[in-house]
mmCIF file of all heavy atoms in Angstrom:
data_model
loop_
_atom_site.group_PDB
_atom_site.id
_atom_site.type_symbol
_atom_site.label_atom_id
_atom_site.label_comp_id
_atom_site.label_asym_id
_atom_site.label_seq_id
_atom_site.Cartn_x
_atom_site.Cartn_y
_atom_site.Cartn_z
ATOM 1 N N LYS A 166 98.405 79.548 188.736
ATOM 2 C CA LYS A 166 99.529 79.088 187.914
ATOM 3 C C LYS A 166 99.036 78.222 186.761
ATOM 4 O O LYS A 166 99.572 78.269 185.657
ATOM 5 C CB LYS A 166 100.506 78.292 188.779
ATOM 6 C CG LYS A 166 101.306 79.135 189.747
ATOM 7 C CD LYS A 166 102.216 78.262 190.611
ATOM 8 C CE LYS A 166 102.971 79.109 191.630
ATOM 9 N NZ LYS A 166 103.807 78.254 192.528
ATOM 10 N N LYS A 167 97.998 77.444 187.027
ATOM 11 C CA LYS A 167 97.466 76.538 186.005
ATOM 12 C C LYS A 167 96.750 77.294 184.906
ATOM 13 O O LYS A 167 96.910 76.994 183.720
ATOM 14 C CB LYS A 167 96.519 75.538 186.665
ATOM 15 C CG LYS A 167 95.946 74.494 185.715
ATOM 16 C CD LYS A 167 95.096 73.474 186.458
ATOM 17 C CE LYS A 167 94.554 72.415 185.508
ATOM 18 N NZ LYS A 167 93.743 71.396 186.223
ATOM 19 N N PHE A 168 95.947 78.286 185.283
ATOM 20 C CA PHE A 168 95.190 79.071 184.296
ATOM 21 C C PHE A 168 95.787 80.472 184.256
ATOM 22 O O PHE A 168 95.301 81.388 184.927
ATOM 23 C CB PHE A 168 93.712 79.110 184.674
ATOM 24 C CG PHE A 168 93.131 77.743 184.942
ATOM 25 C CD1 PHE A 168 92.527 77.439 186.156
ATOM 26 C CD2 PHE A 168 93.190 76.754 183.982
ATOM 27 C CE1 PHE A 168 91.994 76.195 186.398
ATOM 28 C CE2 PHE A 168 92.658 75.493 184.220
ATOM 29 C CZ PHE A 168 92.061 75.207 185.430
ATOM 30 N N LYS A 169 96.833 80.638 183.508
ATOM 31 C CA LYS A 169 97.641 81.859 183.561
ATOM 32 C C LYS A 169 96.923 83.086 183.020
ATOM 33 O O LYS A 169 97.275 84.217 183.355
ATOM 34 C CB LYS A 169 98.944 81.635 182.792
ATOM 35 C CG LYS A 169 99.818 80.558 183.419
ATOM 36 C CD LYS A 169 101.104 80.362 182.640
ATOM 37 C CE LYS A 169 101.976 79.282 183.287
ATOM 38 N NZ LYS A 169 103.230 79.052 182.532
ATOM 39 N N ASN A 170 95.938 82.910 182.181
ATOM 40 C CA ASN A 170 95.295 84.059 181.544
ATOM 41 C C ASN A 170 94.089 84.584 182.323
ATOM 42 O O ASN A 170 93.460 85.546 181.893
ATOM 43 C CB ASN A 170 94.867 83.698 180.124
ATOM 44 C CG ASN A 170 96.067 83.368 179.243
ATOM 45 O OD1 ASN A 170 97.125 83.977 179.396
ATOM 46 N ND2 ASN A 170 95.904 82.409 178.344
ATOM 47 N N ILE A 171 93.747 83.910 183.417
ATOM 48 C CA ILE A 171 92.623 84.370 184.223
ATOM 49 C C ILE A 171 93.063 84.478 185.680
ATOM 50 O O ILE A 171 94.049 83.869 186.092
ATOM 51 C CB ILE A 171 91.408 83.418 184.117
ATOM 52 C CG1 ILE A 171 91.793 82.009 184.570
ATOM 53 C CG2 ILE A 171 90.867 83.387 182.699
ATOM 54 C CD1 ILE A 171 90.638 81.038 184.562
ATOM 55 N N LYS A 172 92.337 85.274 186.452
ATOM 56 C CA LYS A 172 92.667 85.451 187.866
ATOM 57 C C LYS A 172 91.575 84.825 188.721
ATOM 58 O O LYS A 172 90.394 85.127 188.544
ATOM 59 C CB LYS A 172 92.836 86.932 188.188
ATOM 60 C CG LYS A 172 94.050 87.549 187.508
ATOM 61 C CD LYS A 172 94.263 88.990 187.902
ATOM 62 C CE LYS A 172 95.508 89.547 187.234
ATOM 63 N NZ LYS A 172 95.735 90.980 187.589
ATOM 64 N N ILE A 173 91.993 83.976 189.652
ATOM 65 C CA ILE A 173 91.058 83.182 190.449
ATOM 66 C C ILE A 173 91.242 83.496 191.926
ATOM 67 O O ILE A 173 92.366 83.613 192.415
ATOM 68 C CB ILE A 173 91.291 81.675 190.204
ATOM 69 C CG1 ILE A 173 91.108 81.355 188.721
ATOM 70 C CG2 ILE A 173 90.361 80.827 191.060
ATOM 71 C CD1 ILE A 173 91.611 79.987 188.333
ATOM 72 N N LYS A 174 90.127 83.625 192.617
ATOM 73 C CA LYS A 174 90.135 83.818 194.063
ATOM 74 C C LYS A 174 89.465 82.615 194.718
ATOM 75 O O LYS A 174 88.400 82.181 194.283
ATOM 76 C CB LYS A 174 89.394 85.095 194.442
ATOM 77 C CG LYS A 174 89.411 85.408 195.936
ATOM 78 C CD LYS A 174 88.779 86.765 196.210
ATOM 79 C CE LYS A 174 88.836 87.115 197.682
ATOM 80 N NZ LYS A 174 88.256 88.453 197.960
ATOM 81 N N VAL A 175 90.105 82.056 195.733
ATOM 82 C CA VAL A 175 89.556 80.910 196.460
ATOM 83 C C VAL A 175 89.100 81.368 197.848
ATOM 84 O O VAL A 175 89.866 82.014 198.569
ATOM 85 C CB VAL A 175 90.596 79.778 196.585
ATOM 86 C CG1 VAL A 175 90.049 78.639 197.444
ATOM 87 C CG2 VAL A 175 90.982 79.257 195.202
ATOM 88 N N ILE A 176 87.856 81.053 198.200
ATOM 89 C CA ILE A 176 87.293 81.426 199.492
ATOM 90 C C ILE A 176 87.265 80.193 200.400
ATOM 91 O O ILE A 176 86.709 79.160 200.036
ATOM 92 C CB ILE A 176 85.857 81.977 199.349
ATOM 93 C CG1 ILE A 176 85.822 83.124 198.342
ATOM 94 C CG2 ILE A 176 85.316 82.427 200.704
ATOM 95 C CD1 ILE A 176 86.555 84.357 198.775
ATOM 96 N N ASN A 177 87.861 80.318 201.572
ATOM 97 C CA ASN A 177 87.881 79.230 202.552
ATOM 98 C C ASN A 177 86.608 79.288 203.387
ATOM 99 O O ASN A 177 86.459 80.147 204.252
ATOM 100 C CB ASN A 177 89.117 79.364 203.446
ATOM 101 C CG ASN A 177 89.272 78.180 204.400
ATOM 102 O OD1 ASN A 177 88.334 77.415 204.649
ATOM 103 N ND2 ASN A 177 90.462 78.029 204.952
ATOM 104 N N LEU A 178 85.675 78.359 203.138
ATOM 105 C CA LEU A 178 84.423 78.295 203.890
ATOM 106 C C LEU A 178 84.395 77.076 204.817
ATOM 107 O O LEU A 178 83.336 76.596 205.206
ATOM 108 C CB LEU A 178 83.230 78.258 202.928
ATOM 109 C CG LEU A 178 83.049 79.514 202.070
ATOM 110 C CD1 LEU A 178 81.906 79.339 201.084
ATOM 111 C CD2 LEU A 178 82.807 80.742 202.938
ATOM 112 N N GLY A 179 85.572 76.585 205.185
ATOM 113 C CA GLY A 179 85.660 75.483 206.138
ATOM 114 C C GLY A 179 85.248 75.934 207.526
ATOM 115 O O GLY A 179 85.635 77.023 207.973
ATOM 116 N N ILE A 180 84.451 75.123 208.202
ATOM 117 C CA ILE A 180 83.993 75.419 209.556
ATOM 118 C C ILE A 180 84.231 74.181 210.421
ATOM 119 O O ILE A 180 83.831 73.071 210.054
ATOM 120 C CB ILE A 180 82.505 75.820 209.577
ATOM 121 C CG1 ILE A 180 82.304 77.100 208.756
ATOM 122 C CG2 ILE A 180 82.005 76.027 211.005
ATOM 123 C CD1 ILE A 180 80.870 77.577 208.659
ATOM 124 N N VAL A 181 84.892 74.378 211.546
ATOM 125 C CA VAL A 181 85.278 73.270 212.415
ATOM 126 C C VAL A 181 84.075 72.391 212.762
ATOM 127 O O VAL A 181 83.023 72.901 213.147
ATOM 128 C CB VAL A 181 85.929 73.809 213.698
ATOM 129 C CG1 VAL A 181 86.167 72.683 214.703
ATOM 130 C CG2 VAL A 181 87.241 74.517 213.361
ATOM 131 N N SER A 182 84.226 71.082 212.585
ATOM 132 C CA SER A 182 83.221 70.042 212.884
ATOM 133 C C SER A 182 82.104 69.945 211.856
ATOM 134 O O SER A 182 81.232 69.088 211.990
ATOM 135 C CB SER A 182 82.603 70.234 214.279
ATOM 136 O OG SER A 182 83.417 69.646 215.254
ATOM 137 N N PHE A 183 82.097 70.771 210.824
ATOM 138 C CA PHE A 183 81.065 70.649 209.795
ATOM 139 C C PHE A 183 81.211 69.311 209.065
ATOM 140 O O PHE A 183 82.309 68.865 208.751
ATOM 141 C CB PHE A 183 81.166 71.797 208.793
ATOM 142 C CG PHE A 183 80.160 72.884 209.025
ATOM 143 C CD1 PHE A 183 79.700 73.163 210.300
ATOM 144 C CD2 PHE A 183 79.661 73.632 207.972
ATOM 145 C CE1 PHE A 183 78.776 74.171 210.529
ATOM 146 C CE2 PHE A 183 78.736 74.639 208.180
ATOM 147 C CZ PHE A 183 78.287 74.911 209.462
ATOM 148 N N GLY A 184 80.061 68.679 208.786
ATOM 149 C CA GLY A 184 79.998 67.451 208.017
ATOM 150 C C GLY A 184 79.143 67.655 206.782
ATOM 151 O O GLY A 184 78.786 68.789 206.442
ATOM 152 N N PRO A 185 78.786 66.583 206.096
ATOM 153 C CA PRO A 185 78.056 66.695 204.818
ATOM 154 C C PRO A 185 76.786 67.538 204.909
ATOM 155 O O PRO A 185 76.519 68.349 204.018
ATOM 156 C CB PRO A 185 77.725 65.236 204.486
ATOM 157 C CG PRO A 185 78.752 64.441 205.184
ATOM 158 C CD PRO A 185 79.068 65.179 206.446
ATOM 159 N N ILE A 186 75.985 67.356 205.944
ATOM 160 C CA ILE A 186 74.703 68.069 206.046
ATOM 161 C C ILE A 186 74.920 69.563 206.177
ATOM 162 O O ILE A 186 74.296 70.373 205.467
ATOM 163 C CB ILE A 186 73.886 67.545 207.233
ATOM 164 C CG1 ILE A 186 73.528 66.075 207.017
ATOM 165 C CG2 ILE A 186 72.606 68.359 207.443
ATOM 166 C CD1 ILE A 186 72.946 65.410 208.230
ATOM 167 N N GLU A 187 75.818 69.951 207.091
ATOM 168 C CA GLU A 187 76.058 71.379 207.320
ATOM 169 C C GLU A 187 76.635 72.052 206.083
ATOM 170 O O GLU A 187 76.273 73.185 205.739
ATOM 171 C CB GLU A 187 77.006 71.567 208.506
ATOM 172 C CG GLU A 187 76.429 71.169 209.844
ATOM 173 C CD GLU A 187 76.504 69.673 210.102
ATOM 174 O OE1 GLU A 187 77.301 68.997 209.418
ATOM 175 O OE2 GLU A 187 75.778 69.168 210.963
ATOM 176 N N GLU A 188 77.536 71.366 205.396
ATOM 177 C CA GLU A 188 78.155 71.944 204.193
ATOM 178 C C GLU A 188 77.126 72.133 203.084
ATOM 179 O O GLU A 188 77.120 73.171 202.398
ATOM 180 C CB GLU A 188 79.287 71.031 203.716
ATOM 181 C CG GLU A 188 80.446 70.944 204.678
ATOM 182 C CD GLU A 188 81.309 69.734 204.417
ATOM 183 O OE1 GLU A 188 81.260 69.196 203.292
ATOM 184 O OE2 GLU A 188 82.031 69.299 205.334
ATOM 185 N N THR A 189 76.256 71.149 202.895
ATOM 186 C CA THR A 189 75.210 71.262 201.878
ATOM 187 C C THR A 189 74.252 72.391 202.228
ATOM 188 O O THR A 189 73.832 73.163 201.354
ATOM 189 C CB THR A 189 74.430 69.944 201.744
ATOM 190 O OG1 THR A 189 75.343 68.894 201.443
ATOM 191 C CG2 THR A 189 73.379 70.036 200.641
ATOM 192 N N ARG A 190 73.918 72.490 203.503
ATOM 193 C CA ARG A 190 73.032 73.565 203.948
ATOM 194 C C ARG A 190 73.661 74.932 203.689
ATOM 195 O O ARG A 190 72.988 75.875 203.249
ATOM 196 C CB ARG A 190 72.722 73.396 205.445
ATOM 197 C CG ARG A 190 71.726 74.427 205.975
ATOM 198 C CD ARG A 190 71.524 74.284 207.472
ATOM 199 N NE ARG A 190 70.823 73.044 207.788
ATOM 200 C CZ ARG A 190 71.280 72.121 208.606
ATOM 201 N NH1 ARG A 190 72.462 72.272 209.183
ATOM 202 N NH2 ARG A 190 70.578 71.040 208.871
ATOM 203 N N LEU A 191 74.962 75.049 203.933
ATOM 204 C CA LEU A 191 75.655 76.315 203.678
ATOM 205 C C LEU A 191 75.681 76.626 202.182
ATOM 206 O O LEU A 191 75.442 77.778 201.780
ATOM 207 C CB LEU A 191 77.080 76.242 204.233
ATOM 208 C CG LEU A 191 77.979 77.454 203.968
ATOM 209 C CD1 LEU A 191 77.333 78.741 204.461
ATOM 210 C CD2 LEU A 191 79.349 77.246 204.621
ATOM 211 N N PHE A 192 75.948 75.636 201.363
ATOM 212 C CA PHE A 192 75.944 75.814 199.906
ATOM 213 C C PHE A 192 74.576 76.301 199.433
ATOM 214 O O PHE A 192 74.464 77.279 198.671
ATOM 215 C CB PHE A 192 76.312 74.486 199.240
ATOM 216 C CG PHE A 192 76.361 74.519 197.733
ATOM 217 C CD1 PHE A 192 76.769 75.646 197.041
ATOM 218 C CD2 PHE A 192 76.007 73.378 196.999
ATOM 219 C CE1 PHE A 192 76.812 75.663 195.647
ATOM 220 C CE2 PHE A 192 76.048 73.391 195.616
ATOM 221 C CZ PHE A 192 76.453 74.527 194.945
ATOM 222 N N HIS A 193 73.523 75.647 199.902
ATOM 223 C CA HIS A 193 72.163 76.026 199.522
ATOM 224 C C HIS A 193 71.839 77.432 200.017
ATOM 225 O O HIS A 193 71.215 78.238 199.295
ATOM 226 C CB HIS A 193 71.176 75.008 200.103
ATOM 227 C CG HIS A 193 69.803 75.114 199.531
ATOM 228 N ND1 HIS A 193 68.684 74.635 200.162
ATOM 229 C CD2 HIS A 193 69.356 75.673 198.371
ATOM 230 C CE1 HIS A 193 67.616 74.880 199.422
ATOM 231 N NE2 HIS A 193 68.003 75.508 198.328
ATOM 232 N N HIS A 194 72.246 77.732 201.231
ATOM 233 C CA HIS A 194 72.002 79.061 201.810
ATOM 234 C C HIS A 194 72.647 80.156 200.954
ATOM 235 O O HIS A 194 72.017 81.186 200.663
ATOM 236 C CB HIS A 194 72.561 79.093 203.233
ATOM 237 C CG HIS A 194 72.609 80.449 203.854
ATOM 238 N ND1 HIS A 194 71.473 81.162 204.182
ATOM 239 C CD2 HIS A 194 73.665 81.244 204.207
ATOM 240 C CE1 HIS A 194 71.823 82.337 204.712
ATOM 241 N NE2 HIS A 194 73.137 82.405 204.727
ATOM 242 N N LEU A 195 73.879 79.932 200.536
ATOM 243 C CA LEU A 195 74.574 80.933 199.725
ATOM 244 C C LEU A 195 73.927 81.087 198.352
ATOM 245 O O LEU A 195 73.837 82.209 197.820
ATOM 246 C CB LEU A 195 76.049 80.553 199.582
ATOM 247 C CG LEU A 195 76.871 80.601 200.882
ATOM 248 C CD1 LEU A 195 78.281 80.076 200.651
ATOM 249 C CD2 LEU A 195 76.920 82.016 201.442
ATOM 250 N N LEU A 196 73.467 79.984 197.778
ATOM 251 C CA LEU A 196 72.754 80.068 196.494
ATOM 252 C C LEU A 196 71.475 80.892 196.644
ATOM 253 O O LEU A 196 71.134 81.695 195.764
ATOM 254 C CB LEU A 196 72.417 78.665 195.984
ATOM 255 C CG LEU A 196 73.599 77.814 195.497
ATOM 256 C CD1 LEU A 196 73.126 76.402 195.172
ATOM 257 C CD2 LEU A 196 74.278 78.440 194.286
ATOM 258 N N ASN A 197 70.769 80.692 197.739
ATOM 259 C CA ASN A 197 69.538 81.459 197.988
ATOM 260 C C ASN A 197 69.814 82.947 198.131
ATOM 261 O O ASN A 197 68.963 83.778 197.806
ATOM 262 C CB ASN A 197 68.839 80.950 199.256
ATOM 263 C CG ASN A 197 68.117 79.637 199.033
ATOM 264 O OD1 ASN A 197 67.759 79.312 197.898
ATOM 265 N ND2 ASN A 197 67.906 78.876 200.089
ATOM 266 N N LEU A 198 71.013 83.277 198.621
ATOM 267 C CA LEU A 198 71.388 84.683 198.752
ATOM 268 C C LEU A 198 71.820 85.295 197.422
ATOM 269 O O LEU A 198 72.058 86.500 197.343
ATOM 270 C CB LEU A 198 72.531 84.827 199.771
ATOM 271 C CG LEU A 198 72.191 84.555 201.237
ATOM 272 C CD1 LEU A 198 73.438 84.724 202.105
ATOM 273 C CD2 LEU A 198 71.096 85.496 201.729
ATOM 274 N N GLY A 199 71.957 84.447 196.395
ATOM 275 C CA GLY A 199 72.339 84.951 195.080
ATOM 276 C C GLY A 199 73.769 84.671 194.679
ATOM 277 O O GLY A 199 74.222 85.138 193.632
ATOM 278 N N HIS A 200 74.495 83.909 195.507
ATOM 279 C CA HIS A 200 75.884 83.588 195.179
ATOM 280 C C HIS A 200 75.943 82.657 193.969
ATOM 281 O O HIS A 200 75.179 81.696 193.881
ATOM 282 C CB HIS A 200 76.573 82.919 196.365
ATOM 283 C CG HIS A 200 76.811 83.842 197.514
ATOM 284 N ND1 HIS A 200 78.055 84.325 197.847
ATOM 285 C CD2 HIS A 200 75.959 84.379 198.413
ATOM 286 C CE1 HIS A 200 77.954 85.117 198.898
ATOM 287 N NE2 HIS A 200 76.693 85.162 199.268
ATOM 288 N N ARG A 201 76.880 82.936 193.066
ATOM 289 C CA ARG A 201 77.104 82.080 191.912
ATOM 290 C C ARG A 201 78.606 81.880 191.738
ATOM 291 O O ARG A 201 79.234 82.500 190.878
ATOM 292 C CB ARG A 201 76.483 82.680 190.645
ATOM 293 C CG ARG A 201 74.979 82.876 190.702
ATOM 294 C CD ARG A 201 74.226 81.550 190.816
ATOM 295 N NE ARG A 201 72.790 81.776 190.837
ATOM 296 C CZ ARG A 201 72.070 81.889 191.944
ATOM 297 N NH1 ARG A 201 72.659 81.794 193.138
ATOM 298 N NH2 ARG A 201 70.772 82.089 191.883
ATOM 299 N N PRO A 202 79.216 81.035 192.581
ATOM 300 C CA PRO A 202 80.662 80.811 192.438
ATOM 301 C C PRO A 202 80.978 80.134 191.119
ATOM 302 O O PRO A 202 80.128 79.479 190.517
ATOM 303 C CB PRO A 202 80.992 79.903 193.627
ATOM 304 C CG PRO A 202 79.693 79.236 193.958
ATOM 305 C CD PRO A 202 78.622 80.228 193.652
ATOM 306 N N SER A 203 82.198 80.290 190.661
ATOM 307 C CA SER A 203 82.625 79.663 189.412
ATOM 308 C C SER A 203 82.735 78.158 189.568
ATOM 309 O O SER A 203 82.578 77.412 188.601
ATOM 310 C CB SER A 203 83.977 80.243 188.985
ATOM 311 O OG SER A 203 83.924 81.653 188.967
ATOM 312 N N ALA A 204 83.031 77.688 190.782
ATOM 313 C CA ALA A 204 83.092 76.260 191.091
ATOM 314 C C ALA A 204 83.051 76.112 192.604
ATOM 315 O O ALA A 204 83.398 77.043 193.343
ATOM 316 C CB ALA A 204 84.356 75.630 190.528
ATOM 317 N N VAL A 205 82.621 74.943 193.075
ATOM 318 C CA VAL A 205 82.632 74.664 194.517
ATOM 319 C C VAL A 205 83.341 73.336 194.758
ATOM 320 O O VAL A 205 83.261 72.413 193.950
ATOM 321 C CB VAL A 205 81.213 74.622 195.120
ATOM 322 C CG1 VAL A 205 80.543 75.976 195.022
ATOM 323 C CG2 VAL A 205 80.360 73.551 194.465
ATOM 324 N N ILE A 206 84.049 73.276 195.874
ATOM 325 C CA ILE A 206 84.797 72.083 196.255
ATOM 326 C C ILE A 206 84.358 71.650 197.647
ATOM 327 O O ILE A 206 84.282 72.472 198.567
ATOM 328 C CB ILE A 206 86.313 72.356 196.248
ATOM 329 C CG1 ILE A 206 86.789 72.681 194.829
ATOM 330 C CG2 ILE A 206 87.090 71.170 196.809
ATOM 331 C CD1 ILE A 206 88.216 73.183 194.774
ATOM 332 N N PHE A 207 84.057 70.362 197.811
ATOM 333 C CA PHE A 207 83.722 69.787 199.107
ATOM 334 C C PHE A 207 84.807 68.773 199.483
ATOM 335 O O PHE A 207 85.190 67.948 198.662
ATOM 336 C CB PHE A 207 82.370 69.072 199.063
ATOM 337 C CG PHE A 207 81.192 69.977 198.886
ATOM 338 C CD1 PHE A 207 80.763 70.336 197.606
ATOM 339 C CD2 PHE A 207 80.506 70.476 199.986
ATOM 340 C CE1 PHE A 207 79.674 71.177 197.430
ATOM 341 C CE2 PHE A 207 79.415 71.323 199.816
ATOM 342 C CZ PHE A 207 78.986 71.671 198.541
ATOM 343 N N LEU A 208 85.295 68.864 200.709
ATOM 344 C CA LEU A 208 86.264 67.902 201.224
ATOM 345 C C LEU A 208 85.658 67.254 202.468
ATOM 346 O O LEU A 208 85.519 67.890 203.509
ATOM 347 C CB LEU A 208 87.579 68.600 201.569
ATOM 348 C CG LEU A 208 88.743 67.690 201.974
ATOM 349 C CD1 LEU A 208 89.203 66.849 200.786
ATOM 350 C CD2 LEU A 208 89.921 68.507 202.511
ATOM 351 N N ASP A 209 85.267 65.990 202.346
ATOM 352 C CA ASP A 209 84.529 65.298 203.407
ATOM 353 C C ASP A 209 85.197 63.979 203.781
ATOM 354 O O ASP A 209 86.064 63.490 203.072
ATOM 355 C CB ASP A 209 83.100 64.990 202.935
ATOM 356 C CG ASP A 209 82.220 66.215 202.884
ATOM 357 O OD1 ASP A 209 82.108 66.893 203.909
ATOM 358 O OD2 ASP A 209 81.656 66.498 201.804
ATOM 359 N N GLY A 210 84.705 63.405 204.879
ATOM 360 C CA GLY A 210 85.151 62.069 205.240
ATOM 361 C C GLY A 210 85.257 61.840 206.721
ATOM 362 O O GLY A 210 84.628 60.942 207.272
ATOM 363 N N VAL A 211 86.055 62.641 207.418
ATOM 364 C CA VAL A 211 86.313 62.395 208.834
ATOM 365 C C VAL A 211 85.122 62.772 209.706
ATOM 366 O O VAL A 211 84.766 62.041 210.635
ATOM 367 C CB VAL A 211 87.582 63.142 209.290
ATOM 368 C CG1 VAL A 211 87.739 63.061 210.801
ATOM 369 C CG2 VAL A 211 88.809 62.543 208.614
#
C-alpha cells in the first residue's frame, strides 16, 4: 500500500526460540547461498 508502483513480497523467517546469534547465522548462511533480499528486518529482545 505504501509503495503502490512496485510489488513486494515479505518472507517470514521467524523460528521459535531464535535469538540474535541464530538470526545472524541464518542471515549469513542465506547470503552465502547467493540470496540478495531487497531489505532485511530483525525483531529481537525477548
Side-chain angles (χ1 to χ4, degrees):
K166 288 178 183 177
K167 183 176 181 179
F168 309 123
K169 296 180 180 179
N170 297 325
I171 59 177
K172 293 184 178 179
I173 301 167
K174 183 174 182 178
V175 175
I176 306 293
N177 186 342
L178 296 176
I180 298 178
V181 172
S182 276
F183 259 30
I186 297 170
E187 292 82 18
E188 294 161 21
T189 303
R190 184 184 291 124
L191 176 55
F192 181 34
H193 193 201
H194 169 67
L195 293 174
L196 290 174
N197 284 337
L198 291 179
H200 290 253
R201 299 295 181 266
S203 308
V205 296
I206 296 170
F207 292 88
L208 187 67
D209 287 305
V211 172

